[in-house]
Amino acid sequence: MSRTLRLVAFLVGAVVLALLIREVGVDTLADGARTVGWFAVPIVALHAIVYGLNAFAWYITLAHEPGAPPFRSIFRISVVGFAINFLTPVVNAGGEPYRMAALAPWLGARRAAGSVLQYAMLHALSSLFMWLTAIVAALTLPGVHGRIWWALLAMGGVIVAALGVVRSGHRHGFVARLAGWIARRRLGRLSAWLTKQEEALVAVDAQITSLHAEQPGRLGAAIAVDYLSRWVAMGELLLVAYAVGTPLGVTPAVMISGLSALAVNLFSCCRGRWDRARGRSISSSGSPASRPRLD
């Protein structure tokens, strides 16, 4: 990325940070800092470890690639990508294009895209494993029974099915098949462009599946490291709970950490679908004033 683009990105980030501080309020942030106290230091250090583990998991998948960047570059690209994802509305995916662009000087555009998508699926796998762990933890708590128990069990079954889908993507790829499905929808220029890019998309799929086919042990190690980062991140909940005088045990912390992350992702998905449905309703009615009010 050019220095000009980096400067623009920095300025945009600074503006967004200033807006967030203004929205939350300096007094609120100061009160929170006073409540947490010196625990803020280990919490920040904890996140440095979490992002370090995320970057190391990605680095494991890249170590066998000729021309792969050093770990410090992977760490920088990874942290910036996660920061962009947190600011992306509805779907946390804005960091992936940045990662592809930042990695391209080392690997080229196609291999960079394949590597980023490969890690995105790996990161999704670790999320699914953590959600499944949280459900198991919740099922073991005394007081969880009846409909709640069965609802958690059903949710666990859905997650297991999702694990199978993501693992299939690691084995067989998905980019070319997804592009082919979209192209068959006859979407004009998009379909024509995807058809022309078939060779490139097949190459991206080959990059995604290469690690599973050639070095499955390395892929397993990367998934384990990324899953470990989820457990380290849970330490933030334990530290904050202790700082405010309500210490938690490990089992409740795992349950809260995993299920809250699952709830956030489900809410984001449902919100995106609701926004699209509301947009279609507005378009069909011809006037925003006729849409239903939520208040």
Side-chain angles (χ1 to χ4, degrees):
M1 299 179 67
S2 65
R3 291 184 178 181
T4 302
L5 188 57
R6 290 180 182 179
L7 178 60
V8 171
F10 172 78
L11 293 176
V12 171
V15 171
V16 172
L17 177 61
L19 291 175
L20 288 174
I21 293 175
R22 180 182 177 183
E23 182 69 21
V24 176
V26 176
D27 293 339
T28 301
L29 292 173
D31 290 341
R34 281 193 293 269
T35 301
V36 175
W38 67 269
F39 277 93
V41 176
I43 288 173
V44 172
L46 196 70
H47 277 284
I49 297 173
V50 170
Y51 286 124
L53 289 171
N54 293 146
F56 186 57
W58 191 15
Y59 179 75
I60 290 174
T61 68
L62 283 170
H64 73 296
E65 292 287 342
F71 175 76
R72 63 180 181 276
S73 297
I74 291 294
F75 179 78
R76 173 179 55 81
I77 295 171
S78 180
V79 170
V80 175
F82 278 121
I84 295 174
N85 278 345
F86 289 142
L87 297 176
T88 306
V90 183
V91 179
N92 296 334
E96 273 57 50
Y98 163 79
R99 289 174 177 167
M100 293 177 190
L103 199 61
W106 282 281
L107 300 180
R110 292 183 185 180
R111 291 168 62 206
S115 175
V116 170
L117 291 174
Q118 185 182 68
Y119 177 71
M121 290 193 297
L122 183 154
H123 195 62
L125 276 175
S126 72
S127 292
L128 291 169
F129 279 128
M130 193 64 193
W131 298 346
L132 195 60
T133 304
I135 288 174
V136 172
L139 291 173
T140 62
L141 292 176
V144 176
H145 51 77
R147 293 181 179 179
I148 296 178
W149 193 90
W150 285 107
L152 288 172
L153 195 64
M155 193 177 299
V158 173
I159 292 174
V160 170
L163 281 169
V165 172
V166 179
R167 289 291 292 139
S168 176
H170 267 127
R171 292 190 186 98
H172 310 295
F174 71 97
V175 177
R177 284 183 292 169
L178 178 60
W181 181 85
I182 295 174
R184 288 191 294 273
R185 304 282 78 78
R186 298 179 180 179
L187 300 177
R189 293 182 180 180
L190 176 60
S191 294
W193 182 83
L194 288 173
T195 301
K196 292 179 180 178
Q197 300 299 319
E198 182 178 1
E199 183 179 348
L201 297 173
V202 170
V204 171
D205 266 341
Q207 173 74 14
I208 293 173
T209 59
S210 61
L211 195 62
H212 180 274
E214 298 170 7
Q215 295 179 305
R218 185 182 292 273
L219 178 62
I223 295 172
V225 170
D226 209 71
Y227 177 66
L228 176 62
S229 74
R230 308 287 183 173
W231 281 85
V232 176
M234 184 194 64
E236 178 188 9
L237 184 61
L238 296 173
L239 287 171
V240 172
Y242 186 82
V244 299
T246 55
L248 286 173
V250 174
T251 300
V254 170
M255 181 191 71
I256 294 171
S257 179
L259 293 183
S260 62
L262 175 59
V264 167
N265 280 271
L266 289 175
F267 173 77
S268 297
C269 179
C270 293
R271 184 180 63 178
R273 291 186 177 182
W274 165 252
D275 288 341
R276 288 192 295 271
R278 186 173 61 176
R280 288 193 296 268
S281 175
I282 294 172
S283 300
S284 61
S285 65
S287 171
S290 62
R291 63 187 175 185
R293 292 178 59 89
L294 299 179
D295 53 359

